[in-house]
Short mmCIF file of all heavy atoms in Angstrom, two decimals:
data_model
loop_
_atom_site.label_atom_id
_atom_site.label_comp_id
_atom_site.label_asym_id
_atom_site.label_seq_id
_atom_site.Cartn_x
_atom_site.Cartn_y
_atom_site.Cartn_z
N ASP A 213 -24.54 -6.00 -6.53
CA ASP A 213 -23.18 -6.39 -6.13
C ASP A 213 -22.71 -5.58 -4.93
O ASP A 213 -22.19 -6.13 -3.95
CB ASP A 213 -22.24 -6.19 -7.32
CG ASP A 213 -20.92 -6.93 -7.14
OD1 ASP A 213 -20.93 -8.05 -6.61
OD2 ASP A 213 -19.88 -6.38 -7.54
N LEU A 214 -22.90 -4.27 -5.01
CA LEU A 214 -22.45 -3.40 -3.92
C LEU A 214 -23.26 -3.64 -2.66
O LEU A 214 -22.73 -3.61 -1.55
CB LEU A 214 -22.56 -1.94 -4.34
CG LEU A 214 -22.10 -0.89 -3.33
CD1 LEU A 214 -20.65 -1.13 -2.93
CD2 LEU A 214 -22.26 0.51 -3.90
N ASP A 215 -24.57 -3.89 -2.83
CA ASP A 215 -25.42 -4.11 -1.67
C ASP A 215 -24.99 -5.34 -0.89
O ASP A 215 -24.95 -5.33 0.35
CB ASP A 215 -26.88 -4.25 -2.12
CG ASP A 215 -27.86 -3.95 -1.00
OD1 ASP A 215 -27.75 -2.87 -0.39
OD2 ASP A 215 -28.72 -4.79 -0.72
N ARG A 216 -24.65 -6.40 -1.60
CA ARG A 216 -24.19 -7.61 -0.93
C ARG A 216 -22.89 -7.36 -0.18
O ARG A 216 -22.70 -7.84 0.95
CB ARG A 216 -24.00 -8.74 -1.94
CG ARG A 216 -25.30 -9.40 -2.38
CD ARG A 216 -25.05 -10.59 -3.26
NE ARG A 216 -24.43 -10.21 -4.53
CZ ARG A 216 -23.95 -11.07 -5.41
NH1 ARG A 216 -23.97 -12.36 -5.17
NH2 ARG A 216 -23.43 -10.65 -6.55
N ALA A 217 -21.98 -6.62 -0.82
CA ALA A 217 -20.70 -6.32 -0.18
C ALA A 217 -20.90 -5.47 1.08
O ALA A 217 -20.28 -5.72 2.12
CB ALA A 217 -19.78 -5.59 -1.16
N LEU A 218 -21.78 -4.48 1.00
CA LEU A 218 -22.02 -3.60 2.13
C LEU A 218 -22.69 -4.36 3.28
O LEU A 218 -22.32 -4.18 4.45
CB LEU A 218 -22.89 -2.42 1.71
CG LEU A 218 -22.22 -1.35 0.85
CD1 LEU A 218 -23.25 -0.32 0.39
CD2 LEU A 218 -21.09 -0.67 1.62
N GLN A 219 -23.69 -5.17 2.95
CA GLN A 219 -24.38 -5.92 3.99
C GLN A 219 -23.43 -6.86 4.72
O GLN A 219 -23.48 -6.99 5.95
CB GLN A 219 -25.54 -6.72 3.38
CG GLN A 219 -26.69 -5.86 2.87
CD GLN A 219 -27.31 -5.00 3.96
OE1 GLN A 219 -27.46 -5.43 5.10
NE2 GLN A 219 -27.66 -3.78 3.62
N HIS A 220 -22.57 -7.51 3.96
CA HIS A 220 -21.59 -8.42 4.58
C HIS A 220 -20.61 -7.64 5.45
O HIS A 220 -20.29 -8.05 6.57
CB HIS A 220 -20.82 -9.18 3.49
CG HIS A 220 -19.85 -10.19 4.05
ND1 HIS A 220 -18.54 -9.87 4.34
CD2 HIS A 220 -20.00 -11.50 4.39
CE1 HIS A 220 -17.92 -10.93 4.82
NE2 HIS A 220 -18.78 -11.93 4.87
N ALA A 221 -20.14 -6.50 4.92
CA ALA A 221 -19.17 -5.70 5.67
C ALA A 221 -19.78 -5.18 6.97
O ALA A 221 -19.14 -5.23 8.04
CB ALA A 221 -18.69 -4.54 4.81
N LEU A 222 -21.01 -4.69 6.91
CA LEU A 222 -21.63 -4.08 8.09
C LEU A 222 -22.00 -5.10 9.16
O LEU A 222 -22.17 -4.73 10.32
CB LEU A 222 -22.88 -3.30 7.66
CG LEU A 222 -22.62 -2.04 6.84
CD1 LEU A 222 -23.93 -1.41 6.38
CD2 LEU A 222 -21.79 -1.02 7.63
N THR A 223 -22.12 -6.36 8.77
CA THR A 223 -22.45 -7.39 9.75
C THR A 223 -21.22 -8.14 10.25
O THR A 223 -21.33 -9.07 11.04
CB THR A 223 -23.46 -8.40 9.17
OG1 THR A 223 -22.94 -8.93 7.94
CG2 THR A 223 -24.79 -7.74 8.90
N HIS A 224 -20.04 -7.73 9.78
CA HIS A 224 -18.80 -8.39 10.22
C HIS A 224 -17.77 -7.37 10.70
O HIS A 224 -16.58 -7.51 10.46
CB HIS A 224 -18.21 -9.22 9.07
CG HIS A 224 -19.01 -10.44 8.73
ND1 HIS A 224 -20.16 -10.39 7.97
CD2 HIS A 224 -18.85 -11.75 9.07
CE1 HIS A 224 -20.66 -11.61 7.85
NE2 HIS A 224 -19.90 -12.44 8.51
N LEU A 225 -18.24 -6.33 11.36
CA LEU A 225 -17.33 -5.31 11.87
C LEU A 225 -16.63 -5.76 13.14
O LEU A 225 -15.55 -5.27 13.47
CB LEU A 225 -18.10 -4.00 12.14
CG LEU A 225 -18.71 -3.33 10.90
CD1 LEU A 225 -19.48 -2.08 11.31
CD2 LEU A 225 -17.62 -2.98 9.89
N GLY A 226 -17.25 -6.68 13.86
CA GLY A 226 -16.63 -7.20 15.07
C GLY A 226 -16.59 -6.20 16.21
O GLY A 226 -17.15 -5.10 16.13
N ARG A 236 -11.90 -2.41 9.17
CA ARG A 236 -12.50 -3.61 8.61
C ARG A 236 -13.57 -3.26 7.58
O ARG A 236 -13.70 -3.92 6.54
CB ARG A 236 -13.10 -4.47 9.74
CG ARG A 236 -12.05 -5.24 10.54
CD ARG A 236 -12.67 -6.29 11.42
NE ARG A 236 -13.32 -5.71 12.59
CZ ARG A 236 -12.70 -5.48 13.76
NH1 ARG A 236 -11.42 -5.79 13.89
NH2 ARG A 236 -13.36 -4.96 14.77
N LEU A 237 -14.34 -2.23 7.86
CA LEU A 237 -15.37 -1.79 6.92
C LEU A 237 -14.75 -1.33 5.61
O LEU A 237 -15.16 -1.75 4.53
CB LEU A 237 -16.19 -0.65 7.54
CG LEU A 237 -17.23 0.01 6.63
CD1 LEU A 237 -18.27 -1.00 6.17
CD2 LEU A 237 -17.89 1.18 7.36
N ALA A 240 -13.19 -4.27 3.58
CA ALA A 240 -14.19 -5.15 2.97
C ALA A 240 -14.81 -4.53 1.74
O ALA A 240 -14.98 -5.19 0.71
CB ALA A 240 -15.27 -5.48 3.99
N VAL A 241 -15.15 -3.25 1.82
CA VAL A 241 -15.79 -2.59 0.67
C VAL A 241 -14.79 -2.38 -0.46
O VAL A 241 -15.10 -2.59 -1.63
CB VAL A 241 -16.43 -1.26 1.10
CG1 VAL A 241 -17.11 -0.60 -0.10
CG2 VAL A 241 -17.46 -1.50 2.20
N LYS A 243 -12.31 -4.21 -1.13
CA LYS A 243 -12.06 -5.52 -1.73
C LYS A 243 -13.08 -5.81 -2.81
O LYS A 243 -12.76 -6.38 -3.87
CB LYS A 243 -12.12 -6.60 -0.65
CG LYS A 243 -11.76 -8.00 -1.14
CD LYS A 243 -11.76 -8.99 0.01
CE LYS A 243 -11.39 -10.39 -0.48
NZ LYS A 243 -11.39 -11.37 0.64
#
Side-chain angles (χ1 to χ4, degrees):
D213 196 38
L214 181 57
D215 202 53
R216 282 186 295 172
L218 287 174
Q219 291 301 321
H220 183 270
L222 291 175
T223 54
H224 290 79
L225 296 178
R236 284 193 285 271
L237 175 60
V241 181
K243 185 177 180 180

